[in-house]
Amino acid sequence: QAEESPLKGLIRRPSMSTSERKAAVITDTSLVKGLEEALRTPASCLFPYRNIASGETDIDGIWAVLICYWSAVRDVFPDAWGLPPAKSRLMHGVGIRSMFRLMDRVMATIDPNDESSGEAVREDLRRIADLCHWTSGSWTEMDGAGWNSLQNTPKDIRTLSNHLVRLHFQARSE
């Protein structure tokens, strides 16, 4: 894991030692699925970094988007960042996958190489931060689902993703 990655030390892999696994709170499967979906979905912010005709992928471009976005997520949700999934749904599969889907909306107009891009993404996420219930409370707009009742199922990922995208759209419209 690269030094500049906000996820450094947080990704749990089968090859890790027991002591390393204690600090790692995000399953690599959730990240891989989020990346795979983003790379194959034409509406995704990562899709343009692939050249389907030649089979080439702009890894540096993808990396810049991921660093910009996930650093902003870490900065805007510090109380939920790095906690075990049982204490933070942001670090749970449902949160990771849903935030990947929100990334497509947030990063759609952001140039990750621009010096002001990090602040632009943080500002975008701050608009919805108070409406996110990663560690306590309930998602009142989602039939009052408790913060810890969301699971890493297709239904819950879809429900939370749609909710976050709607919040983001509404916040940008105001």
Side-chain angles (χ1 to χ4, degrees), residues 104-165:
D104 292 333
R105 303 303 186 272
V106 171
M107 297 301 293
T109 59
I110 302 284
D111 175 359
N113 297 309
D114 186 306
E115 285 185 25
S116 64
S117 62
E119 184 53 36
V121 176
R122 284 188 294 277
E123 180 59 33
D124 223 9
L125 292 173
R126 281 186 200 111
R127 292 179 181 145
I128 67 166
D130 290 341
L131 302 170
C132 294
H133 306 284
W134 298 121
T135 61
S136 65
S138 61
W139 299 85
T140 53
E141 303 83 2
M142 292 177 10
D143 295 329
W147 75 270
N148 60 352
S149 67
L150 298 174
Q151 298 301 313
N152 195 18
T153 63
K155 179 183 180 225
D156 282 359
I157 292 168
R158 184 175 53 254
T159 301
L160 182 56
S161 298
N162 290 342
H163 178 63
L164 292 172
V165 167

Side-chain angles (χ1 to χ4, degrees), residues 20-118:
E20 290 173 318
R21 288 179 66 84
K22 287 183 180 180
V25 295
I26 302 170
T27 64
D28 60 352
T29 306
S30 296
L31 289 171
V32 169
K33 285 183 177 182
L35 275 169
E36 286 175 343
E37 183 178 14
L39 288 169
R40 75 170 180 265
T41 304
S44 168
C45 67
L46 297 183
F47 191 80
Y49 293 93
R50 291 184 56 213
N51 183 331
I52 295 174
S54 70
E56 294 178 19
T57 302
D58 177 2
I59 300 297
D60 292 336
I62 291 170
W63 184 248
V65 170
L66 295 173
I67 294 295
C68 180
Y69 178 73
W70 288 101
S71 293
V73 171
R74 176 200 59 209
D75 296 347
V76 172
F77 301 105
D79 294 342
W81 190 261
L83 297 177
K87 294 184 179 190
S88 170
R89 281 309 192 248
L90 178 60
M91 301 285 97
H92 191 276
V94 69
I96 294 293
R97 296 283 304 282
S98 296
M99 290 302 285
F100 258 106
R101 291 178 181 181
L102 179 61
M103 177 181 75
D104 292 333
R105 303 303 186 272
V106 171
M107 297 301 293
T109 59
I110 302 284
D111 175 359
N113 297 309
D114 186 306
E115 285 185 25
S116 64
S117 62

